[in-house]
Structure formats: C-alpha cells, structure tokens
Amino acid sequence: MNVTSKIYSLIVFVFLASCKSKEIAPPKPLLPVPSSAQMAWHEMEMNAFVHFTTNTFTDKEWGFGDEKPSIFNPTQLNINQWISTLKEAGFKGAILTTKHHDGFCLWPSRYTDHSVKNSPLQNGKADIVKEFSDACKKQGMKFGIYLSPWDRNRSDYGSDSYVEYYRNQLKELFNAYGPVFEMWFDGANGGDGYYGGANEKRKINGASYYDWPTTLNIVREIEPNIIFFSDAGPGVRWVGNENGRAGETNWNTITPDTLFAGQSDINGLLNTGSENGTHWIPAETDVSIRPGWFYHAKEDSLVKAPEQLVEIYLTSVGRGSTLLLNVPPDKRGLFHEQDVKALRGFRTLLDHEFKTNFALNSRVEASSYRGNSKKYSPENLTDGNKETYWTTDDSVTTASLVMHLEKPQSVKYILLKEHIQLGQRIKSFHIEIEKEGVWKKVAEATTIGYKRILKIEPVLTNKIRISITSAKACPIISCVEIY
Ligand code: FUL
C-alpha cells in the first residue's frame, strides 16, 4: 500500500466511524416499565372469565358453603362449546372459577370431598378443570385460574391449617393443569358462612392471614411467568368497578402502598392509577355479560347486546386496559343461546367498525423527530409494524402529527398506541380534523398507554392532526390507525 492509498483508507475509516457515531440512541426507558410477561398480557387485549359452580344450580351469586355436591349436575356439559365460542369472538385467554366462595371444587382435589368427585356428573369421574385446560390447549387459548381465598365450606377457615389447604390446592392445580397465564386472587370476603356446620361469621385480616408473599412464591416456583391479579397486583390490578369502565385517565403505574394507607377513594385510585406510581401494575377490566357472575334463567333477557359489548370494548381496551368478560355456562353446562348470539354479534360489529385502517401506509408529517433519524421518523406510525415507533429528542415533550389520508374518508375512530416498553409518557393530547381548509378540534384526552381509541362523530376528511400537549418525557408512539 502506498502513502496515498493509506491516507485514502484512513479517510474512509474516519468517515465510516463518524457515520456510526451519528446513529441516534433510542430514548432511555422511563421507569417503571412492563415485564415481558406483562407486555404479553397487554397484547392479549381481551380475555374471558367463566363462573361455574353449585350456584349455577341453586340460582345464587354467593353459595353459603352448605350446598350438596350432588346438586352439581349439568346435563349436556360441553366445554369445547365454551372455548370455541370465546375463541371465535376474539378472546385470547380464559379464566375458570376452579373454586368460588362456596368452596366446591371443579376438579377432584385430593384435599377435600367437597368437589365434583361427589357429584353425579360422569359418575363422579368428572374433572372440569382438566377438560377446560385441555380445550384451551387444543384451541390455542391461554388458560387462567381463579381459586377463591375465602372458603365458606371449610371448618378451619380462619386458622393456619386452612392457609395450608389453600396452598396445597394451588400446588395441585398448577402442577396438574398448567401452563397458566394468569392467577386471579379475589379479595371478596363477606364473613359469614357454613364453615363445616358452625354457621357463623368469621373475620380474617386480609393483609396478613394468607401471608401473600409466601403464597405467591409457591405459585411462582411452578409458573415463573404467571401474572397475579389482585386488587393491588402485583401483576395486574383491579379497575375499581365491575361495569366495564377503565379510567379515561388510565396510568399503568401505581404505588401499591398508597392503597393501604387510609386512602379515601381506593376504587377511584385503582381506576386511574397514578402518574408517578412506583410500579407497573396495569388495570384489568372485569365485567359480566349478564347482571350476575353466575347463570340465572331470569337474566336470559338481560344479556348485554352487541352494541353494549362494543361500548365496553371502547371503555376498556380503548382506554389502555385489558377486558376480562365473564360468560357463565347454564345448568345444561352450555353457554346459553342468548350469550352465544351476543358474542357473535359483538365480533361482527367490532369487525365492521374496525374494518379498514385508512391510515395504513399513509404519509405523516411530524413537528419534529428524534435526531432527524429515519429510525424514529413519523412513517413508523403507519407502517403496520408495532415494533417501530416515532419519537422526538429528549428535550421535546409536545408535538404535532398530521396524517394525510389518500382521499377523504368518513372518520369515526382514531386509535393510538404508545411504545410502553419504554414507559408510559403522554399526559394529554387532542385531535383536530381539517374541513374546507379549517382545523376543528374533535376530541381531547389524557393518557394513551398500550392503546387508546377515541370515537368521534363521523366526519369526512383527509387530514387529521394529533397534538401532544404534555408528556412526562419525550413521547414515543408506535401506531396511529384511523377507521
Ligand atoms: C367478586 C366476587 O365476589 C364475585 O362473586 C365474582 O367472582 C367477581 C369476579 O369477584 O369479588
């Protein structure tokens, strides 16, 4: 190599090195951020709850605990029908009440006789939990477990031996029927019950009696990626109501301690989360397709209509929460015709409302983007790829994005997704549409999170402007969709 070519190689080397150093680093995560198991849970979006026990046969919501196992006798049990109905409606996982407050077990637990093994169903050989988890596996749905901590049947409820019983059942269930994606710990406790014939009121200290840290670790040892639901998490939190409404402001973050610190409006706090919460504990929206959680023939005419279910979708999934919709089997052991019809109608309506994303591959203008790097350019919002995102320089916390649709469309929904893997950031934003050269504000909202859907009066337009008016740190958005 002569001197000239050496100098030339050096210049090329320096040039390439300087190009590389110009590669703009992504924003640093704004803590807390979701774990990979929580991220997978967010992506499920819609799960189902299935409430089934002796209550189905006694027409109650809370069994007292003195029900005879012999009354549990569905005549046409078909668990595949439940799971295929849910799957066709778009649910990704299903959580079964393996034991509700009445203490009756849907599997032949070796720790009690108060179970399906003493029911006439399949001559005492039935195992609803197994059939349910098998059907989920077969149909590609995830399986979840509800096991009520409160047990109105057990004579030892309130003493240490019951906690051991409860833990043994958790081990039994998780070892025999997994994998399990979510474990649902119900905080309800009404005090009175049968308790092996004592027929009395028992009071426990919900915070200390079950020794939750130890109990959760027993489950974690078997299922390390489990998502724990309880009012306060640690995996996901209760949304604070049972009517399908996540907060219009919905932070995935909350400080769990504040829930036990004499807070006056705990349900309100659970509903909105808190902007500066120390933990990532997103809200799960549990609601029933009927007024009750269990099947009652008198509620056949009160099954929610497809339009109501779409409204619930918008106030749960559309507010960055995950929907947990309960569908209770009837006395035959089938989802009732009314519920099946409502779920099919729900799917059809949802597909109709969200049929064509007018924004897919459309041009987007941003007030700025991070380091003018293509990696963070506004095209990432409409490329149909949820892994790519638009973001700004660290110092920028407000921005505007103008969406140019190919031709005027009747716009009814604007859907946005934050790239929450790097933390939830956006605090407020609004939407304008352009009509005859004039911008008109059509919606205003606070948080986005995993997903936010804003419904507006349908309007014909080909230009939509999204203005982010405040954020905790530089905004990061992965998708904008327009329907
Ligand atoms: C509540 C329970 O008391 C209801 O019966 C139902 O299981 C609901 C999902 O949670 O706390």
Side-chain angles (χ1 to χ4, degrees), residues 133-167:
S133 82
D134 284 353
C136 285
K137 272 181 207 134
K138 202 169 84 199
Q139 302 199 42
M141 291 260 287
K142 288 195 177 165
F143 165 60
I145 289 179
Y146 167 113
L147 182 74
S148 171
W150 181 31
D151 191 321
R152 305 173 93 187
N153 174 260
R154 291 287 296 184
S155 59
D156 59 352
Y157 183 74
S159 66
D160 289 350
S161 67
Y162 172 75
V163 177
E164 199 187 320
Y165 169 76
Y166 186 70
R167 289 177 180 166

Coordinates of all heavy atoms in Angstrom, one line a residue, residues 133-167:
S133 N -58.8 -26.9 30.7 CA -57.5 -26.5 30.3 C -57.1 -27.3 29.0 O -56.4 -26.8 28.1 CB -56.5 -26.8 31.4 OG -56.1 -28.1 31.5
D134 N -57.6 -28.5 28.8 CA -57.4 -29.3 27.6 C -58.0 -28.6 26.4 O -57.4 -28.5 25.3 CB -58.0 -30.7 27.7 CG -57.1 -31.6 28.5 OD1 -56.0 -31.2 28.9 OD2 -57.5 -32.7 28.8
A135 N -59.3 -28.1 26.6 CA -59.9 -27.4 25.5 C -59.2 -26.1 25.1 O -59.0 -25.8 23.9 CB -61.4 -27.1 25.9
C136 N -58.7 -25.4 26.1 CA -57.9 -24.2 25.8 C -56.6 -24.6 25.0 O -56.3 -24.0 24.0 CB -57.4 -23.5 27.1 SG -58.8 -22.6 27.9
K137 N -55.9 -25.6 25.5 CA -54.7 -26.1 24.7 C -55.1 -26.4 23.3 O -54.4 -26.0 22.4 CB -54.1 -27.3 25.4 CG -53.1 -26.9 26.5 CD -52.5 -28.1 27.2 CE -52.1 -27.8 28.6 NZ -52.5 -28.7 29.6
K138 N -56.1 -27.2 23.2 CA -56.5 -27.7 21.8 C -56.8 -26.5 20.9 O -56.5 -26.6 19.7 CB -57.7 -28.6 22.0 CG -57.8 -29.6 20.8 CD -58.9 -30.7 21.1 CE -60.3 -30.2 20.8 NZ -61.3 -30.9 21.4
Q139 N -57.5 -25.5 21.4 CA -57.9 -24.4 20.6 C -57.0 -23.2 20.6 O -57.4 -22.1 20.1 CB -59.4 -24.0 21.0 CG -60.3 -25.2 20.9 CD -61.8 -24.8 20.8 OE1 -62.1 -23.9 20.2 NE2 -62.6 -25.6 21.6
G140 N -55.9 -23.3 21.2 CA -54.9 -22.2 21.2 C -55.3 -21.0 22.0 O -55.0 -19.9 21.6
M141 N -56.0 -21.3 23.1 CA -56.3 -20.2 24.1 C -55.4 -20.4 25.3 O -55.1 -21.5 25.7 CB -57.8 -20.3 24.5 CG -58.7 -20.1 23.4 SD -59.4 -18.4 23.5 CE -60.5 -18.5 24.9
K142 N -55.2 -19.3 26.0 CA -54.4 -19.4 27.2 C -55.4 -19.7 28.4 O -56.5 -19.2 28.3 CB -53.6 -18.1 27.5 CG -52.4 -18.0 26.5 CD -51.5 -17.0 27.0 CE -50.3 -17.0 26.0 NZ -49.5 -15.7 26.2
F143 N -54.9 -20.4 29.4 CA -55.7 -20.8 30.5 C -55.4 -20.1 31.8 O -54.2 -20.0 32.1 CB -55.5 -22.4 30.6 CG -56.0 -23.0 31.9 CD1 -57.3 -22.9 32.2 CD2 -55.1 -23.6 32.7 CE1 -57.8 -23.4 33.4 CE2 -55.6 -24.2 33.9 CZ -56.9 -24.1 34.3
G144 N -56.4 -19.6 32.5 CA -56.1 -19.0 33.8 C -57.0 -19.6 34.9 O -58.0 -20.2 34.7
I145 N -56.5 -19.4 36.1 CA -57.1 -20.0 37.3 C -57.6 -18.9 38.3 O -56.9 -18.0 38.6 CB -56.1 -20.9 38.0 CG1 -55.8 -22.1 37.2 CG2 -56.6 -21.3 39.4 CD1 -54.8 -23.1 37.8
Y146 N -58.9 -19.1 38.7 CA -59.4 -18.4 39.8 C -59.6 -19.4 40.9 O -60.3 -20.4 40.7 CB -60.8 -17.8 39.4 CG -61.7 -17.2 40.5 CD1 -61.9 -15.8 40.6 CD2 -62.3 -18.0 41.5 CE1 -62.7 -15.3 41.6 CE2 -63.1 -17.5 42.4 CZ -63.3 -16.2 42.5 OH -64.1 -15.7 43.5
L147 N -59.1 -19.1 42.1 CA -59.3 -20.0 43.3 C -59.6 -19.1 44.5 O -58.7 -18.4 44.9 CB -58.0 -20.9 43.5 CG -58.1 -21.9 44.7 CD1 -59.0 -23.1 44.3 CD2 -56.7 -22.4 45.1
S148 N -60.8 -19.1 44.9 CA -61.2 -18.1 45.9 C -60.5 -18.4 47.2 O -60.5 -19.5 47.8 CB -62.7 -18.2 46.2 OG -63.1 -17.5 47.3
P149 N -59.8 -17.3 47.7 CA -59.2 -17.5 49.0 C -60.2 -17.7 50.1 O -60.0 -18.5 51.1 CB -58.4 -16.2 49.2 CG -58.2 -15.6 47.8 CD -59.5 -16.1 47.1
W150 N -61.3 -17.0 50.0 CA -62.4 -17.1 51.0 C -63.1 -18.4 50.7 O -63.5 -18.7 49.6 CB -63.3 -15.9 50.9 CG -64.5 -15.9 51.9 CD1 -64.5 -16.5 53.1 CD2 -65.8 -15.4 51.6 NE1 -65.7 -16.3 53.7 CE2 -66.5 -15.6 52.8 CE3 -66.4 -14.7 50.6 CZ2 -67.9 -15.2 53.0 CZ3 -67.7 -14.3 50.7 CH2 -68.4 -14.5 51.9
D151 N -63.3 -19.3 51.7 CA -63.9 -20.6 51.6 C -65.0 -20.8 52.7 O -64.7 -21.0 53.8 CB -62.9 -21.7 51.6 CG -63.4 -23.0 51.2 OD1 -64.5 -23.4 51.5 OD2 -62.6 -23.8 50.5
R152 N -66.3 -20.7 52.3 CA -67.4 -20.7 53.3 C -67.7 -22.2 53.6 O -68.6 -22.4 54.4 CB -68.6 -20.0 52.7 CG -68.3 -18.6 52.3 CD -69.5 -18.0 51.6 NE -70.4 -17.3 52.5 CZ -71.5 -16.7 52.1 NH1 -72.0 -16.9 50.9 NH2 -72.3 -16.1 53.0
N153 N -67.1 -23.1 53.0 CA -67.4 -24.5 53.3 C -66.5 -25.1 54.4 O -66.9 -25.8 55.3 CB -67.2 -25.4 52.1 CG -67.4 -26.9 52.3 OD1 -66.4 -27.6 52.4 ND2 -68.6 -27.3 52.5
R154 N -65.2 -24.7 54.4 CA -64.2 -25.3 55.3 C -64.4 -24.9 56.8 O -64.5 -23.8 57.1 CB -62.8 -24.8 54.9 CG -62.3 -25.3 53.6 CD -61.9 -26.7 53.6 NE -60.8 -27.0 54.4 CZ -60.2 -28.1 54.6 NH1 -60.6 -29.2 53.9 NH2 -59.1 -28.3 55.3
S155 N -64.3 -26.0 57.6 CA -64.5 -25.8 59.0 C -63.3 -25.0 59.6 O -63.4 -24.3 60.6 CB -64.6 -27.1 59.7 OG -63.5 -27.9 59.5
D156 N -62.1 -25.2 58.9 CA -60.9 -24.5 59.5 C -60.6 -23.1 58.9 O -59.6 -22.6 59.1 CB -59.7 -25.4 59.4 CG -59.4 -25.8 57.9 OD1 -60.2 -25.5 57.0 OD2 -58.3 -26.4 57.7
Y157 N -61.6 -22.6 58.1 CA -61.4 -21.3 57.6 C -61.1 -20.2 58.7 O -61.9 -20.1 59.6 CB -62.5 -20.8 56.7 CG -62.2 -19.4 56.0 CD1 -61.3 -19.4 55.0 CD2 -62.7 -18.3 56.6 CE1 -60.9 -18.2 54.4 CE2 -62.4 -17.0 56.0 CZ -61.5 -17.0 55.0 OH -61.1 -15.8 54.4
G158 N -60.0 -19.5 58.6 CA -59.7 -18.6 59.7 C -58.4 -19.0 60.5 O -57.8 -18.3 61.1
S159 N -58.1 -20.4 60.4 CA -57.0 -20.9 61.1 C -55.8 -21.2 60.2 O -56.0 -21.2 58.9 CB -57.3 -22.1 62.0 OG -57.7 -23.1 61.1
D160 N -54.7 -21.5 60.7 CA -53.5 -21.8 59.9 C -53.6 -22.9 58.9 O -53.1 -22.9 57.8 CB -52.2 -22.0 60.8 CG -51.8 -20.8 61.5 OD1 -52.3 -19.7 61.1 OD2 -50.9 -20.9 62.4
S161 N -54.4 -24.0 59.4 CA -54.5 -25.2 58.6 C -55.2 -24.9 57.3 O -55.0 -25.5 56.3 CB -55.1 -26.3 59.3 OG -56.5 -26.0 59.6
Y162 N -56.1 -23.9 57.3 CA -56.8 -23.5 56.0 C -55.8 -22.9 55.0 O -55.8 -23.3 53.8 CB -58.0 -22.6 56.2 CG -58.5 -22.1 54.9 CD1 -59.3 -23.0 54.1 CD2 -58.1 -20.9 54.3 CE1 -59.7 -22.6 52.8 CE2 -58.5 -20.5 53.0 CZ -59.3 -21.4 52.3 OH -59.7 -21.1 51.0
V163 N -54.9 -22.1 55.5 CA -53.9 -21.5 54.6 C -53.1 -22.6 53.9 O -52.8 -22.6 52.7 CB -53.1 -20.4 55.3 CG1 -52.0 -19.9 54.4 CG2 -53.9 -19.3 55.9
E164 N -52.8 -23.6 54.7 CA -52.0 -24.8 54.2 C -52.8 -25.5 53.1 O -52.3 -25.9 52.1 CB -51.7 -25.7 55.3 CG -50.5 -26.6 55.0 CD -50.3 -27.7 56.1 OE1 -50.4 -27.3 57.3 OE2 -50.1 -28.8 55.7
Y165 N -54.1 -25.7 53.4 CA -55.1 -26.3 52.5 C -55.1 -25.5 51.2 O -55.0 -26.0 50.1 CB -56.5 -26.3 53.1 CG -57.6 -26.7 52.2 CD1 -57.8 -28.0 51.8 CD2 -58.5 -25.7 51.8 CE1 -58.9 -28.4 51.0 CE2 -59.6 -26.1 51.0 CZ -59.8 -27.4 50.6 OH -60.9 -27.7 49.8
Y166 N -55.2 -24.2 51.3 CA -55.3 -23.3 50.1 C -54.0 -23.4 49.3 O -54.1 -23.6 48.1 CB -55.5 -21.8 50.6 CG -55.8 -20.9 49.4 CD1 -57.0 -21.0 48.7 CD2 -54.8 -20.0 49.1 CE1 -57.2 -20.1 47.6 CE2 -55.0 -19.1 48.0 CZ -56.2 -19.2 47.3 OH -56.4 -18.3 46.2
R167 N -52.9 -23.4 50.0 CA -51.6 -23.5 49.2 C -51.5 -24.9 48.6 O -51.0 -25.0 47.5 CB -50.4 -23.3 50.2 CG -50.4 -21.9 50.6 CD -49.2 -21.7 51.6 NE -49.2 -20.3 52.0 CZ -48.5 -19.8 53.0 NH1 -47.8 -20.7 53.8 NH2 -48.5 -18.5 53.3

